[in-house]
Amino acid sequence: MSEQNVETSASSVEARDQNIDEKAALVLEFVENVIEDMEMDCTVRLKRPREESPDEIYIEIAGPDSGRIIGKKGQVLQALQFLAHRVVNRPGEEKRHVLVDAEGYRSRRDDNLASMAKKLGKQAVELGKVITFEPMNPRDRRVVHMALAKFEGVVTKSSGEGDDRRVQIIPVRRT
């Protein structure tokens, strides 16, 4: 009997091992292919979704080139996530949220944004002035809004259009 060489992609092995669904396997394979085509030295793996989002497809990228995958202010990572989302979410089908992260960048960015928002919220209250952030993507604006949702003495509001949309921290007058 002759031996056969069988090549199996990492995504199909992991998909079979974790019993993941087709959409998650599709996203995993797509991201692996993009990373490979970019000639980046990174590994791509499917992570268990967060408890609050059980239907989420969570992809983690790690390796020496992960900084290049993140890009300036996370722009490359955001673009990769957008494309992965488009690959898996076709019109007329059930939508799945796709999260692509690299070396924990998103949680660090969220923590930094929330911390800065609270610091600026305190400043807005002390000075009694509206403070306006630089333009942000929808995800970052949401982090700021959530960080200040229960912050005493301020309300937040998004203003502007498209890529120029930004968050304002508005102090509320005490009566």
Side-chain angles (χ1 to χ4, degrees), residues 11-69:
S11 60
S12 64
V13 169
E14 194 161 338
R16 194 173 53 241
D17 289 348
Q18 291 186 11
N19 252 352
I20 62 173
D21 62 86
E22 268 183 59
K23 287 190 175 200
L26 181 64
V27 170
L28 180 63
E29 185 177 5
F30 171 77
V31 174
E32 283 177 335
N33 290 338
V34 170
I35 299 298
E36 186 179 315
D37 289 348
M38 291 173 71
E39 298 180 358
M40 296 288 153
D41 184 10
C42 291
T43 58
V44 178
R45 49 186 214 124
L46 185 67
K47 291 192 78 174
R48 191 168 270 119
R50 298 173 298 177
E51 283 184 27
E52 65 269 16
S53 307
D55 284 342
E56 179 178 73
I57 300 171
Y58 185 8
I59 302 291
E60 176 69 29
I61 300 169
D65 286 336
S66 60
R68 293 174 63 198
I69 296 298

Side-chain angles (χ1 to χ4, degrees), residues 124-137:
V125 170
E126 289 171 356
L127 298 175
K129 292 186 177 181
V130 173
I131 295 179
T132 305
F133 277 83
E134 64 186 41
M136 295 180 173
N137 65 45

Side-chain angles (χ1 to χ4, degrees), residues 134-138 141 159-166:
E134 64 186 41
M136 295 180 173
N137 65 45
R141 287 195 311 271
S159 62
E161 296 292 321
D163 291 340
D164 197 39
R165 199 150 170 83
R166 52 189 81 216

